[in-house]
Amino acid sequence: MQVRSLFLLLALILVAVTAEAGKNKKEKAKKDGSKCEDWRWGPCVPNSKDCGLGYREGTCKEESKKLKCKIPCNWKKKFGADCKYKFESWGGCSAQTGLKTRSGILKKALYNAQCEETVYVTKPCSSKIKSKSKAKKGKGKD
């Protein structure tokens, strides 16, 4: 009988501690949260150089906040790190310019970023012709 009572007491203590922990998380979220819903966010500004960890500032009425952010070091500087595009396949090589071109259509604009709907990128044509047999070597059936 004592073991059963002890087990019941431990279960009640565990429930009380869990409920208190959940309450503290909710209170913390209320302190950090804001009632303002019309936030305007600036671009991500890297702490040093032009990529890596940084911050973005936001304002809403008289409130302001800073959020941590990260700019990947391989981002397309021309478009901005907050503009995400869906790109088509590369087009053929232009003999006149020696460049390939492809277009991208805006998929998502993060933090109310001002993004172009369609963008175009170019890159130099490859001087090497890739062999398809190399790609199939590891995938063959033995």
Side-chain angles (χ1 to χ4, degrees):
M1 185 71 176
Q2 289 180 350
V3 173
R4 199 181 275 172
S5 298
L6 183 62
F7 181 72
L8 183 60
L9 182 62
L10 286 174
L12 287 172
I13 291 171
L14 182 63
V15 168
V17 169
T18 305
E20 188 64 28
K23 183 179 174 184
N24 288 340
K25 282 185 181 178
K26 287 180 185 176
E27 287 175 5
K28 187 175 181 181
K30 285 181 185 177
K31 287 180 187 175
D32 294 341
S34 171
K35 292 181 182 178
C36 192
E37 294 181 13
D38 192 27
W39 284 93
R40 302 283 179 201
W41 296 99
C44 185
V45 178
N47 293 331
S48 64
K49 299 186 182 179
D50 61 353
C51 63
L53 295 176
Y55 66 93
R56 81 174 68 245
E57 293 183 3
T59 58
C60 184
K61 298 179 184 173
E62 287 91 41
E63 293 183 61
S64 64
K65 284 185 184 180
K66 278 188 178 183
L67 292 179
K68 291 180 183 177
C69 61
K70 182 178 179 182
I71 298 176
C73 290
N74 63 348
W75 65 297
K76 306 292 185 210
K77 295 174 189 172
K78 181 179 173 184
F79 315 136
D82 294 332
C83 301
K84 306 297 180 190
Y85 292 92
K86 171 78 174 159
F87 284 93
E88 298 175 351
S89 299
W90 287 103
C93 184
S94 168
Q96 295 171 342
T97 61
L99 298 173
K100 293 181 187 182
T101 305
R102 71 177 177 172
S103 63
I105 298 172
L106 183 65
K107 186 169 66 169
K108 187 188 291 187
L110 305 174
Y111 297 99
N112 304 325
Q114 300 298 315
C115 302
E116 295 179 44
E117 286 295 320
T118 305
V119 293
Y120 298 92
V121 291
T122 59
K123 73 176 184 177
C125 298
S126 175
S127 59
K128 296 180 183 177
I129 299 173
K130 293 182 180 177
S131 171
K132 291 187 178 183
S133 62
K134 287 183 182 178
K136 292 182 179 180
K137 274 187 179 177
K139 296 180 183 177
K141 295 179 183 176
D142 291 274

